[in-house]
Amino acid sequence: MTIKLYVGNLPMQMTETELKELFTEAGNVSSAKIITDRQTGQPRGFGFVEMETKLEGQKAISMLNGRQVEGRVLAVNEARPQARSGGGGGGGYGGGGGRGGGRGR
């Protein structure tokens, strides 16, 4: 079973290939992804690495969390599950209701 790791404080010039190579020190890497800004395409300084086993993931955390790479101290920990964003749906102020025609004084 794979384990997904969050990797923060990445050097801005690091490539996904370099990220994957770094984590192979701890075991087999299923995937490595550096997150980029949607508008500029520039790296945002963090990414995710999937290790093939939980044991390899724990080893990667202990080996690489706090390690200095190109002048930056990496933050490596188990990724939290992605929050489900309540997409779509639009508010809708349902139906007529509203104020009564209050003439009654």
Side-chain angles (χ1 to χ4, degrees):
M1 187 173 144
T2 63
I3 181 173
K4 192 171 195 176
L5 304 176
Y6 165 83
V7 187
N9 206 29
L10 289 172
M12 292 302 176
Q13 63 277 10
M14 181 174 264
T15 66
E16 289 179 350
T17 302
E18 292 170 328
L19 180 62
K20 185 173 184 174
E21 287 172 5
L22 179 66
F23 276 76
T24 56
E25 294 177 26
N28 295 315
V29 177
S30 300
S31 67
K33 178 82 174 139
I34 294 176
I35 305 304
T36 56
D37 184 272
R38 287 183 189 175
Q39 277 140 4
T40 66
Q42 296 297 313
R44 293 187 59 199
F46 70 95
F48 296 94
V49 173
E50 240 180 315
M51 302 297 291
E52 287 191 8
T53 67
K54 194 159 183 89
L55 187 62
E56 289 171 326
Q58 294 302 323
K59 183 177 177 185
I61 291 169
S62 65
M63 284 178 67
L64 299 170
N65 187 41
R67 181 186 284 190
Q68 194 168 68
V69 176
E70 296 178 36
R72 301 192 66 152
V73 178
L74 298 182
V76 181
N77 50 54
E78 193 168 345
R80 286 180 257 154
Q82 190 172 4
R84 295 264 180 215
S85 61
Y93 290 89
R99 302 203 151 107
R103 278 181 109 148
R105 263 196 198 193

